[in-house]
Amino acid sequence: LSSTAGRPVAVDDRGAVTCAPERFRAEPSGGWQPIAAWAGPWPIEELWWEASGGRKVARFQVVGVDGRAWLLTCDEGVWWTEAVYD
């Protein structure tokens, strides 16, 4: 995720975005797609009961200008595509 100025979107310790997401890539080698709408982030602590302390992730839902919705996850500053909805 990034702003149109090319700034990467990140989620801070309080669960807020550092800038508004305006475009995304569904694949690392794919082209940028403009975002028509977005919701999130939803910060989640996963595996908090593990001795290693688990991990914190944040999820976003974005809708591209093509009308498809995407579920994206930020894990340690890296964005992953989890699902696409037609």
Coordinates of all heavy atoms in Angstrom, one line a residue:
L1 N 0.8 -1.2 0.0 CA 0.0 0.0 0.0 C 0.9 1.2 0.0 O 1.9 1.3 0.7 CB -0.9 0.1 1.3 CG -2.1 -0.8 1.4 CD1 -2.7 -0.7 2.8 CD2 -3.1 -0.6 0.3
S2 N 0.4 2.2 -0.7 CA 1.2 3.5 -0.7 C 0.2 4.7 -1.0 O -0.9 4.5 -1.5 CB 2.4 3.5 -1.6 OG 2.0 3.8 -2.9
S3 N 0.7 5.8 -0.7 CA 0.0 7.0 -1.1 C 0.4 7.3 -2.5 O 1.3 6.7 -3.1 CB 0.5 8.2 -0.2 OG 1.8 8.6 -0.5
T4 N -0.3 8.2 -3.2 CA 0.0 8.5 -4.6 C 1.4 9.2 -4.7 O 2.0 9.2 -5.7 CB -1.0 9.4 -5.3 OG1 -1.3 10.5 -4.5 CG2 -2.3 8.6 -5.5
A5 N 1.9 9.8 -3.6 CA 3.2 10.4 -3.6 C 4.3 9.3 -3.4 O 5.5 9.7 -3.4 CB 3.3 11.4 -2.4
G6 N 3.9 8.1 -3.3 CA 4.9 7.0 -3.2 C 5.3 6.7 -1.7 O 6.1 5.8 -1.5
R7 N 4.7 7.4 -0.8 CA 5.0 7.0 0.6 C 4.4 5.7 1.0 O 3.2 5.5 0.8 CB 4.5 8.1 1.6 CG 5.3 9.4 1.5 CD 4.9 10.5 2.4 NE 4.4 9.9 3.7 CZ 3.4 10.5 4.4 NH1 2.9 11.7 4.0 NH2 3.0 10.0 5.5
P8 N 5.1 4.8 1.6 CA 4.5 3.5 2.0 C 3.5 3.7 3.2 O 3.8 4.6 4.1 CB 5.7 2.7 2.4 CG 6.8 3.6 2.6 CD 6.5 4.8 1.9
V9 N 2.4 3.0 3.2 CA 1.5 3.1 4.3 C 2.0 2.1 5.4 O 2.3 1.0 5.1 CB 0.1 2.6 3.8 CG1 -0.9 2.6 5.0 CG2 -0.4 3.6 2.8
A10 N 2.1 2.6 6.6 CA 2.5 1.8 7.7 C 1.4 1.9 8.8 O 0.6 2.9 8.8 CB 3.8 2.2 8.2
V11 N 1.4 1.1 9.8 CA 0.5 1.1 10.9 C 1.4 1.3 12.2 O 2.3 0.6 12.4 CB -0.3 -0.2 11.0 CG1 -1.2 -0.1 12.2 CG2 -1.1 -0.4 9.8
D12 N 1.1 2.4 12.9 CA 1.9 2.7 14.1 C 1.5 1.8 15.3 O 0.6 1.0 15.2 CB 1.9 4.2 14.4 CG 0.6 4.7 14.9 OD1 -0.3 3.9 15.3 OD2 0.4 5.9 14.8
D13 N 2.2 2.0 16.4 CA 2.0 1.2 17.6 C 0.6 1.4 18.2 O 0.1 0.5 18.9 CB 3.0 1.6 18.7 CG 4.4 1.1 18.3 OD1 4.5 0.2 17.5 OD2 5.3 1.7 18.9
R14 N -0.1 2.5 17.8 CA -1.5 2.7 18.3 C -2.5 2.3 17.3 O -3.7 2.5 17.6 CB -1.6 4.2 18.6 CG -0.6 4.7 19.7 CD -0.9 6.1 20.1 NE -1.7 6.0 21.3 CZ -2.2 7.0 21.8 NH1 -2.1 8.2 21.3 NH2 -3.0 6.9 22.9
G15 N -2.1 1.7 16.2 CA -3.1 1.2 15.2 C -3.6 2.2 14.2 O -4.6 1.9 13.6
A16 N -2.9 3.3 14.1 CA -3.3 4.3 13.1 C -2.4 4.2 11.9 O -1.2 3.8 12.0 CB -3.1 5.7 13.8
V17 N -2.9 4.6 10.7 CA -2.1 4.6 9.5 C -1.2 5.9 9.5 O -1.6 6.9 10.0 CB -3.0 4.5 8.2 CG1 -3.7 3.2 8.1 CG2 -4.0 5.6 8.2
T18 N -0.1 5.7 8.8 CA 0.8 6.9 8.7 C 0.5 7.8 7.6 O 0.9 8.9 7.5 CB 2.3 6.4 8.5 OG1 2.3 5.5 7.3 CG2 2.8 5.6 9.7
C19 N -0.3 7.3 6.6 CA -0.8 8.1 5.5 C -2.0 7.3 4.9 O -2.1 6.1 5.1 CB 0.2 8.4 4.5 SG 1.0 7.0 3.7
A20 N -2.8 8.0 4.2 CA -4.0 7.4 3.5 C -3.6 6.5 2.4 O -2.8 7.0 1.5 CB -5.0 8.4 3.1
P21 N -4.0 5.3 2.3 CA -3.7 4.4 1.2 C -4.5 4.8 0.0 O -5.7 5.0 0.0 CB -4.1 3.0 1.7 CG -5.1 3.2 2.7 CD -4.8 4.6 3.4
E22 N -3.7 5.0 -1.1 CA -4.4 5.5 -2.4 C -4.1 4.5 -3.5 O -4.7 4.7 -4.6 CB -3.9 6.9 -2.7 CG -4.3 7.9 -1.6 CD -3.8 9.3 -1.8 OE1 -3.3 9.6 -3.0 OE2 -3.8 10.1 -0.9
R23 N -3.2 3.6 -3.4 CA -2.9 2.6 -4.4 C -2.3 1.3 -3.8 O -1.8 1.4 -2.7 CB -2.0 3.2 -5.5 CG -0.6 3.5 -5.0 CD 0.2 4.2 -6.0 NE 1.5 4.4 -5.5 CZ 2.6 4.7 -6.3 NH1 2.4 4.8 -7.6 NH2 3.8 4.8 -5.7
F24 N -2.4 0.2 -4.5 CA -1.9 -1.0 -4.0 C -1.4 -1.9 -5.1 O -1.8 -1.7 -6.3 CB -2.9 -1.8 -3.1 CG -4.0 -2.4 -3.8 CD1 -4.0 -3.8 -4.0 CD2 -5.0 -1.7 -4.4 CE1 -5.0 -4.4 -4.7 CE2 -6.1 -2.3 -5.1 CZ -6.1 -3.6 -5.3
R25 N -0.6 -2.9 -4.8 CA -0.2 -4.0 -5.7 C -0.7 -5.3 -5.1 O -0.3 -5.6 -4.0 CB 1.3 -4.0 -6.0 CG 1.8 -2.8 -6.7 CD 3.2 -3.0 -7.1 NE 4.0 -3.0 -5.9 CZ 5.3 -2.7 -6.0 NH1 5.9 -2.4 -7.1 NH2 6.0 -2.7 -4.9
A26 N -1.4 -6.1 -5.9 CA -1.9 -7.4 -5.4 C -0.7 -8.4 -5.4 O -0.7 -9.3 -4.7 CB -3.0 -7.9 -6.3
E27 N 0.3 -8.2 -6.3 CA 1.5 -9.0 -6.4 C 2.7 -8.1 -6.4 O 2.6 -7.0 -6.9 CB 1.4 -9.8 -7.7 CG 0.2 -10.7 -7.8 CD 0.2 -11.5 -9.1 OE1 1.3 -11.6 -9.8 OE2 -0.8 -11.9 -9.5
P28 N 3.8 -8.6 -5.8 CA 5.0 -7.7 -5.7 C 5.5 -7.3 -7.1 O 6.0 -6.2 -7.2 CB 6.0 -8.6 -5.0 CG 5.2 -9.6 -4.3 CD 4.0 -9.8 -5.1
S29 N 5.3 -8.1 -8.1 CA 5.8 -7.7 -9.4 C 4.7 -7.1 -10.3 O 4.9 -6.7 -11.4 CB 6.4 -8.9 -10.1 OG 5.3 -9.9 -10.3
G30 N 3.5 -6.9 -9.7 CA 2.4 -6.4 -10.5 C 2.4 -4.8 -10.5 O 3.2 -4.2 -9.8
G31 N 1.5 -4.3 -11.3 CA 1.4 -2.8 -11.3 C 0.5 -2.3 -10.2 O -0.2 -3.0 -9.6
W32 N 0.6 -1.0 -10.0 CA -0.2 -0.3 -9.0 C -1.6 -0.2 -9.5 O -1.8 0.1 -10.6 CB 0.4 1.1 -8.7 CG 1.7 1.0 -8.0 CD1 2.9 1.2 -8.5 CD2 1.9 0.8 -6.6 NE1 3.9 1.1 -7.5 CE2 3.3 0.9 -6.3 CE3 1.0 0.6 -5.5 CZ2 3.8 0.7 -5.1 CZ3 1.6 0.4 -4.3 CH2 3.0 0.5 -4.0
Q33 N -2.6 -0.4 -8.6 CA -4.0 -0.2 -8.9 C -4.5 0.9 -7.9 O -4.3 0.8 -6.7 CB -4.8 -1.5 -8.7 CG -6.2 -1.3 -9.0 CD -7.0 -2.6 -8.9 OE1 -8.2 -2.5 -8.8 NE2 -6.4 -3.7 -8.9
P34 N -5.2 1.9 -8.4 CA -5.8 2.9 -7.6 C -6.9 2.3 -6.6 O -7.5 1.4 -7.0 CB -6.5 3.9 -8.5 CG -5.8 3.7 -9.8 CD -5.4 2.2 -9.9
I35 N -7.0 2.9 -5.5 CA -8.0 2.4 -4.5 C -9.2 3.3 -4.6 O -9.1 4.5 -4.5 CB -7.4 2.4 -3.1 CG1 -6.3 1.4 -2.9 CG2 -8.5 2.2 -2.0 CD1 -5.5 1.5 -1.6
A36 N -10.4 2.7 -4.7 CA -11.7 3.4 -4.7 C -12.2 3.6 -3.3 O -12.8 4.7 -3.0 CB -12.7 2.7 -5.6
A37 N -12.0 2.7 -2.4 CA -12.4 2.8 -1.0 C -11.6 1.8 -0.2 O -11.0 0.9 -0.7 CB -13.9 2.3 -0.9
W38 N -11.5 2.2 1.1 CA -10.7 1.3 2.0 C -11.3 1.4 3.4 O -12.0 2.3 3.8 CB -9.2 1.7 2.0 CG -8.9 3.1 2.5 CD1 -9.0 4.2 1.8 CD2 -8.5 3.4 3.8 NE1 -8.6 5.3 2.5 CE2 -8.3 4.9 3.8 CE3 -8.2 2.8 5.0 CZ2 -7.8 5.6 4.9 CZ3 -7.8 3.5 6.1 CH2 -7.6 4.9 6.0
A39 N -11.0 0.3 4.2 CA -11.4 0.3 5.6 C -10.3 -0.4 6.4 O -9.6 -1.2 5.9 CB -12.7 -0.5 5.8
G40 N -10.2 0.1 7.6 CA -9.1 -0.5 8.5 C -8.2 0.7 9.0 O -8.6 1.8 8.8
P41 N -7.2 0.3 9.6 CA -6.7 -1.0 9.9 C -7.3 -1.6 11.1 O -7.9 -1.0 11.9 CB -5.2 -0.7 10.2 CG -5.2 0.6 10.8 CD -6.3 1.4 10.1
W42 N -7.2 -3.0 11.1 CA -7.7 -3.7 12.2 C -6.5 -4.4 12.8 O -6.0 -5.5 12.3 CB -8.7 -4.8 11.8 CG -10.0 -4.1 11.3 CD1 -10.9 -3.4 12.0 CD2 -10.4 -4.1 9.9 NE1 -11.9 -3.0 11.1 CE2 -11.6 -3.4 9.8 CE3 -9.9 -4.7 8.7 CZ2 -12.3 -3.2 8.7 CZ3 -10.6 -4.4 7.6 CH2 -11.8 -3.7 7.5
P43 N -5.8 -3.8 13.8 CA -4.7 -4.4 14.4 C -5.1 -5.7 15.3 O -6.1 -5.7 15.9 CB -4.1 -3.4 15.3 CG -5.1 -2.2 15.4 CD -6.2 -2.5 14.4
I44 N -4.3 -6.7 15.1 CA -4.6 -8.0 15.8 C -3.3 -8.5 16.4 O -2.2 -8.5 15.8 CB -5.1 -9.0 14.8 CG1 -6.4 -8.5 14.2 CG2 -5.4 -10.4 15.4 CD1 -6.9 -9.2 13.0
E45 N -3.4 -9.0 17.6 CA -2.3 -9.8 18.2 C -2.6 -11.2 18.0 O -3.5 -11.8 18.6 CB -2.1 -9.4 19.7 CG -1.5 -8.1 19.9 CD -1.1 -7.9 21.4 OE1 -0.4 -8.8 22.0 OE2 -1.5 -6.9 22.0
E46 N -1.7 -11.9 17.3 CA -1.9 -13.3 17.0 C -0.9 -14.1 17.8 O 0.2 -13.7 18.1 CB -1.7 -13.6 15.5 CG -2.7 -13.0 14.6 CD -2.5 -13.3 13.2 OE1 -1.4 -13.7 12.8 OE2 -3.5 -13.2 12.4
L47 N -1.4 -15.3 18.3 CA -0.5 -16.2 19.0 C 0.1 -15.6 20.3 O 1.2 -15.9 20.7 CB 0.6 -16.8 18.1 CG 0.1 -17.5 16.8 CD1 1.3 -17.8 16.0 CD2 -0.7 -18.7 17.1
W48 N -0.7 -14.7 20.9 CA -0.2 -14.0 22.1 C 0.2 -14.9 23.2 O 1.0 -14.6 24.1 CB -1.2 -12.9 22.5 CG -2.5 -13.5 22.8 CD1 -3.6 -13.5 21.9 CD2 -3.1 -14.1 24.0 NE1 -4.7 -14.1 22.4 CE2 -4.4 -14.5 23.7 CE3 -2.5 -14.4 25.2 CZ2 -5.2 -15.1 24.7 CZ3 -3.3 -15.0 26.2 CH2 -4.6 -15.3 25.9
W49 N -0.4 -16.1 23.2 CA -0.2 -17.1 24.3 C 1.1 -17.8 24.1 O 1.6 -18.5 25.1 CB -1.3 -18.1 24.4 CG -1.5 -18.8 23.1 CD1 -0.9 -20.0 22.7 CD2 -2.4 -18.4 22.0 NE1 -1.3 -20.3 21.5 CE2 -2.2 -19.4 21.0 CE3 -3.2 -17.4 21.8 CZ2 -2.9 -19.4 19.8 CZ3 -3.9 -17.3 20.6 CH2 -3.7 -18.3 19.6
E50 N 1.8 -17.7 23.0 CA 3.0 -18.5 22.7 C 4.2 -17.9 23.6 O 4.2 -16.7 23.8 CB 3.4 -18.4 21.3 CG 2.4 -19.1 20.3 CD 2.5 -20.6 20.5 OE1 3.6 -21.1 20.8 OE2 1.5 -21.3 20.2
A51 N 5.1 -18.7 23.9 CA 6.3 -18.2 24.7 C 7.1 -17.2 23.9 O 7.7 -16.3 24.5 CB 7.2 -19.4 25.0
S52 N 7.1 -17.2 22.6 CA 7.8 -16.3 21.8 C 7.1 -14.9 21.8 O 7.7 -13.9 21.3 CB 7.9 -16.8 20.4 OG 6.7 -16.9 19.8
G53 N 5.9 -14.8 22.3 CA 5.2 -13.5 22.4 C 4.3 -13.3 21.2 O 3.6 -12.2 21.2
G54 N 4.2 -14.1 20.3 CA 3.3 -14.0 19.2 C 3.8 -12.9 18.2 O 4.9 -12.5 18.1
R55 N 2.8 -12.3 17.5 CA 3.1 -11.2 16.6 C 1.9 -10.3 16.5 O 0.8 -10.7 16.8 CB 3.4 -11.8 15.2 CG 2.3 -12.5 14.6 CD 2.7 -13.2 13.3 NE 1.5 -13.6 12.6 CZ 1.4 -13.7 11.3 NH1 2.4 -13.3 10.5 NH2 0.3 -14.1 10.8
K56 N 2.2 -9.1 16.0 CA 1.1 -8.1 15.8 C 1.0 -7.9 14.3 O 2.0 -7.7 13.6 CB 1.5 -6.8 16.4 CG 1.4 -6.8 18.0 CD 1.7 -5.5 18.6 CE 1.7 -5.6 20.1 NZ 2.0 -4.3 20.7
V57 N -0.2 -8.0 13.8 CA -0.4 -7.7 12.3 C -1.6 -6.7 12.2 O -2.3 -6.5 13.2 CB -0.8 -9.0 11.6 CG1 0.4 -10.0 11.6 CG2 -2.1 -9.6 12.0
A58 N -1.7 -6.1 11.1 CA -2.9 -5.2 10.8 C -3.5 -5.6 9.5 O -2.8 -5.9 8.5 CB -2.4 -3.8 10.8
R59 N -4.8 -5.6 9.4 CA -5.5 -6.0 8.2 C -6.2 -4.8 7.7 O -6.7 -3.9 8.4 CB -6.4 -7.1 8.4 CG -5.7 -8.4 8.7 CD -6.6 -9.7 8.6 NE -5.7 -10.9 8.7 CZ -5.3 -11.4 9.8 NH1 -5.6 -10.9 11.0 NH2 -4.6 -12.5 9.7
F60 N -6.3 -4.7 6.3 CA -7.0 -3.7 5.6 C -7.9 -4.3 4.6 O -7.6 -5.4 4.1 CB -6.1 -2.8 4.8 CG -5.5 -1.6 5.5 CD1 -4.4 -1.8 6.3 CD2 -6.0 -0.4 5.3 CE1 -3.8 -0.8 7.0 CE2 -5.4 0.7 6.0 CZ -4.3 0.5 6.8
Q61 N -9.0 -3.7 4.3 CA -9.8 -4.1 3.1 C -9.8 -2.9 2.2 O -10.0 -1.8 2.6 CB -11.3 -4.5 3.5 CG -12.0 -5.0 2.3 CD -13.3 -5.6 2.6 OE1 -13.8 -5.5 3.7 NE2 -14.0 -6.2 1.6
V62 N -9.4 -3.2 1.0 CA -9.4 -2.2 -0.1 C -10.3 -2.6 -1.2 O -10.4 -3.8 -1.5 CB -8.0 -1.8 -0.6 CG1 -7.1 -1.3 0.6 CG2 -7.3 -3.0 -1.2
V63 N -10.9 -1.6 -1.9 CA -11.6 -1.9 -3.1 C -10.9 -1.2 -4.2 O -10.7 0.1 -4.2 CB -13.1 -1.4 -3.0 CG1 -13.8 -1.7 -4.3 CG2 -13.8 -2.1 -1.9
G64 N -10.5 -1.9 -5.2 CA -9.8 -1.3 -6.4 C -10.8 -0.6 -7.3 O -12.0 -0.8 -7.2
V65 N -10.3 0.2 -8.2 CA -11.2 0.8 -9.2 C -11.9 -0.1 -10.1 O -12.9 0.2 -10.7 CB -10.4 1.9 -10.0 CG1 -10.0 3.1 -9.1 CG2 -9.3 1.3 -10.7
D66 N -11.4 -1.4 -10.1 CA -12.0 -2.4 -11.0 C -13.2 -3.1 -10.2 O -13.9 -3.9 -10.8 CB -11.1 -3.5 -11.4 CG -10.5 -4.3 -10.3 OD1 -10.8 -4.0 -9.1 OD2 -9.7 -5.2 -10.5
G67 N -13.5 -2.7 -9.0 CA -14.6 -3.2 -8.2 C -14.3 -4.4 -7.4 O -15.2 -4.8 -6.6
R68 N -13.2 -5.0 -7.5 CA -12.8 -6.1 -6.6 C -12.3 -5.7 -5.3 O -11.7 -4.6 -5.2 CB -11.8 -7.0 -7.3 CG -12.3 -7.7 -8.6 CD -11.3 -8.7 -9.1 NE -10.1 -8.0 -9.5 CZ -9.0 -8.6 -9.9 NH1 -8.9 -9.9 -9.9 NH2 -7.9 -8.0 -10.2
A69 N -12.7 -6.4 -4.3 CA -12.2 -6.1 -2.9 C -11.1 -7.0 -2.5 O -11.0 -8.2 -2.9 CB -13.4 -6.3 -1.9
W70 N -10.1 -6.5 -1.8 CA -8.9 -7.2 -1.4 C -8.8 -7.1 0.1 O -9.0 -6.1 0.7 CB -7.7 -6.6 -2.1 CG -7.8 -6.7 -3.5 CD1 -8.5 -5.8 -4.3 CD2 -7.2 -7.6 -4.4 NE1 -8.3 -6.1 -5.7 CE2 -7.5 -7.2 -5.7 CE3 -6.4 -8.7 -4.2 CZ2 -7.1 -7.9 -6.8 CZ3 -5.9 -9.4 -5.3 CH2 -6.3 -9.0 -6.6
L71 N -8.3 -8.3 0.7 CA -7.9 -8.3 2.1 C -6.4 -8.3 2.2 O -5.8 -9.2 1.7 CB -8.5 -9.5 2.9 CG -8.2 -9.6 4.4 CD1 -8.8 -8.4 5.1 CD2 -8.7 -10.9 4.9
L72 N -5.8 -7.2 2.8 CA -4.4 -7.1 2.8 C -3.9 -7.1 4.3 O -4.6 -6.6 5.2 CB -3.9 -5.8 2.2 CG -4.4 -5.5 0.8 CD1 -4.0 -4.1 0.3 CD2 -3.9 -6.6 -0.2
T73 N -2.8 -7.7 4.5 CA -2.2 -7.8 5.9 C -0.8 -7.2 5.9 O 0.0 -7.5 5.0 CB -2.1 -9.3 6.3 OG1 -3.5 -9.8 6.3 CG2 -1.6 -9.4 7.7
C74 N -0.6 -6.4 6.9 CA 0.8 -5.9 7.2 C 1.4 -6.6 8.3 O 0.8 -6.6 9.4 CB 0.7 -4.4 7.5 SG 2.3 -3.6 7.7
D75 N 2.5 -7.3 8.1 CA 3.2 -8.1 9.1 C 4.6 -7.6 9.1 O 5.4 -7.8 8.1 CB 3.1 -9.6 8.7 CG 3.7 -10.5 9.8 OD1 4.2 -10.0 10.8 OD2 3.7 -11.7 9.6
E76 N 5.0 -6.9 10.2 CA 6.4 -6.4 10.3 C 6.8 -5.5 9.2 O 7.9 -5.6 8.6 CB 7.4 -7.5 10.6 CG 7.1 -8.3 11.9 CD 8.2 -9.3 12.2 OE1 9.3 -9.2 11.6 OE2 7.9 -10.2 13.0
G77 N 5.9 -4.7 8.7 CA 6.1 -3.7 7.7 C 6.0 -4.2 6.3 O 6.2 -3.5 5.3
V78 N 5.7 -5.5 6.1 CA 5.6 -6.1 4.8 C 4.1 -6.4 4.5 O 3.4 -7.0 5.4 CB 6.4 -7.4 4.7 CG1 6.2 -8.1 3.3 CG2 7.8 -7.2 5.0
W79 N 3.6 -6.0 3.4 CA 2.2 -6.2 3.0 C 2.0 -7.5 2.2 O 2.8 -7.8 1.4 CB 1.7 -5.0 2.1 CG 1.5 -3.8 3.0 CD1 2.4 -2.7 3.1 CD2 0.4 -3.5 3.8 NE1 1.9 -1.8 4.0 CE2 0.7 -2.2 4.4 CE3 -0.8 -4.1 4.1 CZ2 -0.2 -1.6 5.3 CZ3 -1.7 -3.5 4.9 CH2 -1.4 -2.3 5.5
W80 N 1.0 -8.2 2.6 CA 0.6 -9.5 1.9 C -0.8 -9.4 1.5 O -1.7 -8.8 2.2 CB 0.8 -10.6 2.9 CG 2.2 -10.8 3.4 CD1 2.7 -10.3 4.6 CD2 3.2 -11.4 2.8 NE1 4.0 -10.6 4.7 CE2 4.4 -11.3 3.6 CE3 3.4 -12.1 1.6 CZ2 5.6 -11.9 3.3 CZ3 4.6 -12.7 1.3 CH2 5.7 -12.5 2.1
T81 N -1.1 -10.0 0.4 CA -2.5 -10.2 -0.1 C -3.0 -11.5 0.5 O -2.5 -12.5 0.2 CB -2.6 -10.2 -1.6 OG1 -2.0 -9.0 -2.2 CG2 -4.0 -10.4 -2.1
E82 N -4.1 -11.4 1.3 CA -4.7 -12.6 1.8 C -5.8 -13.2 1.0 O -6.0 -14.4 0.9 CB -5.2 -12.4 3.3 CG -4.0 -12.3 4.3 CD -4.5 -12.5 5.7 OE1 -5.5 -13.2 5.9 OE2 -3.9 -11.9 6.6
A83 N -6.6 -12.3 0.4 CA -7.8 -12.8 -0.3 C -8.3 -11.7 -1.3 O -8.0 -10.5 -1.1 CB -8.9 -13.1 0.7
V84 N -9.0 -12.1 -2.3 CA -9.7 -11.2 -3.2 C -11.1 -11.7 -3.3 O -11.4 -12.9 -3.3 CB -9.0 -11.2 -4.6 CG1 -9.0 -12.6 -5.2 CG2 -9.6 -10.2 -5.5
Y85 N -12.0 -10.7 -3.4 CA -13.4 -10.9 -3.5 C -13.9 -10.3 -4.8 O -13.8 -9.1 -5.0 CB -14.2 -10.4 -2.3 CG -13.6 -10.9 -1.0 CD1 -12.6 -10.1 -0.3 CD2 -13.9 -12.1 -0.5 CE1 -12.1 -10.6 0.9 CE2 -13.4 -12.6 0.7 CZ -12.5 -11.8 1.4 OH -11.9 -12.2 2.6
D86 N -14.6 -11.0 -5.7 CA -15.1 -10.5 -6.9 C -16.4 -9.8 -6.7 O -17.2 -10.1 -5.8 CB -15.4 -11.6 -7.9 CG -14.0 -12.1 -8.4 OD1 -13.0 -11.4 -8.4 OD2 -14.0 -13.3 -8.8

